[in-house]
Amino acid sequence: MKIYLSSDMEGTAGVVDWSQCLAPSAEYEYYRGLLQNEVNAAIEGAMSAGATSFLVNDSHSSMQNLRPDTLLGDARYLSGRHKPMYMMEGLDSSFDAIFFISYHGSMASEASALSHTYNPRAITRVLLNGTEVGESGINALVALGHGVPIVLITGDDTTAEEAERVCPGIHSAVVKTSVTRFAADSLHPTAACALIREAAAAAVKGLGSAKPPQIELPATLEVLFHNGDLAEMATRITGVTKIDARTVTITDDDPIRLFRTFITVVLLTRAIVE
Ligand SMILES: [Zn+2]
């Protein structure tokens, strides 16, 4: 049984500030260890329920936050920048299930530690078929394209709630409750890892009834930017339509192509953020 793990960092218990999850800093060196423990807890839990093979796609910042030799389960490690499928690189239909580890809430959400949607300096809000989504919902397009269910998400309370909108019945390990974008009440790291182990095991045991994300096709992403220049820049990509000064939409019957267009928007608009 093959499990695909996409790991971010903002959702780790204890993490509440950019300085804790961006290299280089002593703080980052400490918190990357806590992230590694949470990734390993998910692998351990999955193994206890019968999972045998793991691919960890490091999806945070420059995407090289983990230590490959201390990954459990003889996990393969997909790391580094400019991955065409970004947070979903390496996924294909040979996988049985997907875990989202240490994810965070969307930019438009209720208080969620370090909330953002791909680019905190560009994107204000994203709707998927009219529903407000975070990175979990956008990444779910790729899961749908390959027909693989997302069965576990870890992070704060808001992150869990957002994933449920697109993946009803998803198992979640809520390791912290956010107070603001820069404050949260976290479980002790040991308790957080215990919770993640339990949730991962339950998610794998429940695989029989798990379904791919519930997203109607053709699907539409509506992206609201911080300013009109960003929206204008986005329209230079084929298939991106401006509907008002700061908002564009992308509609596609192929969920993977839709995701790729969105990622291209993210990469292109990065050039003109303030
Ligand atoms: Zn991140």
Side-chain angles (χ1 to χ4, degrees):
M1 185 192 298
K2 280 177 79 172
I3 309 289
Y4 175 92
L5 294 90
S6 169
S7 63
D8 207 340
M9 186 164 183
E10 292 87 344
T12 292
V15 168
V16 292
D17 196 89
W18 296 118
S19 65
Q20 297 167 338
C21 50
L22 290 174
S25 79
E27 281 293 275
Y28 165 76
E29 289 303 325
Y30 168 74
Y31 283 97
R32 77 190 300 182
L34 298 188
L35 168 66
Q36 176 103 33
N37 292 342
E38 291 194 358
V39 170
N40 278 335
I43 292 174
E44 274 185 317
M47 283 198 295
S48 76
T52 51
S53 172
F54 302 91
L55 174 63
V56 177
N57 177 32
D58 192 326
S59 303
H60 173 71
S61 189
S62 57
M63 308 191 183
Q64 43 191 308
N65 304 284
L66 302 172
R67 295 295 190 216
D69 61 329
T70 49
L71 281 175
L72 297 178
D74 287 337
R76 280 157 52 211
Y77 182 46
L78 209 175
S79 58
R81 284 177 291 168
H82 308 318
K83 291 178 280 197
M85 295 301 283
Y86 217 110
M87 301 181 84
M88 299 304 281
E89 184 70 27
L91 181 69
D92 60 34
S93 58
S94 71
F95 287 91
D96 297 288
I98 297 167
F99 290 180
F100 286 163
I101 305 300
S102 193
Y103 269 43
H104 52 80
S106 73
M107 192 65 169
S109 67
E110 295 295 321
S112 182
L114 302 179
S115 64
H116 62 282
T117 307
Y118 271 94
N119 186 345
R121 293 197 293 165
I123 295 175
T124 308
R125 187 188 69 194
V126 175
L127 305 181
L128 172 56
N129 289 343
T131 300
E132 208 168 272
V133 290
E135 291 172 6
S136 63
I138 296 164
N139 296 348
L141 288 165
V142 183
L144 174 63
H146 292 297
V148 185
I150 305 164
V151 297
L152 174 69
I153 188 157
T154 77
D156 75 348
D157 47 336
T158 300
T159 304
E161 193 273 316
E162 286 188 333
E164 174 74 26
R165 293 175 196 168
V166 175
C167 307
I170 189 173
H171 292 258
S172 55
V174 175
V175 300
K176 59 186 169 189
T177 305
S178 292
V179 179
T180 68
R181 287 189 73 226
F182 297 99
D185 177 348
S186 294
L187 295 181
H188 187 280
T190 304
C193 287
L195 184 66
I196 291 170
R197 261 191 301 276
E198 263 173 50
V204 170
K205 283 179 193 149
L207 251 184
S209 58
K211 290 190 181 65
Q214 305 292 294
I215 302 166
E216 212 170 296
L217 297 174
T220 298
L221 285 173
E222 181 179 312
V223 183
L224 173 65
F225 290 99
H226 294 344
N227 67 59
D229 290 0
L230 293 157
E232 181 58 35
M233 177 74 102
T235 63
R236 299 185 197 187
I237 299 163
T238 304
V240 179
T241 307
K242 199 157 105 169
I243 59 167
D244 66 37
R246 291 196 293 141
T247 311
V248 303
T249 62
I250 318 161
T251 298
D252 208 318
D253 54 7
D254 177 343
I256 294 177
R257 192 170 51 202
L258 177 56
F259 176 83
R260 288 177 67 102
T261 306
F262 173 78
I263 292 302
T264 309
V265 167
V266 170
L267 296 177
L268 186 66
T269 53
R270 202 175 268 174
I272 57 163
V273 294
E274 287 163 34

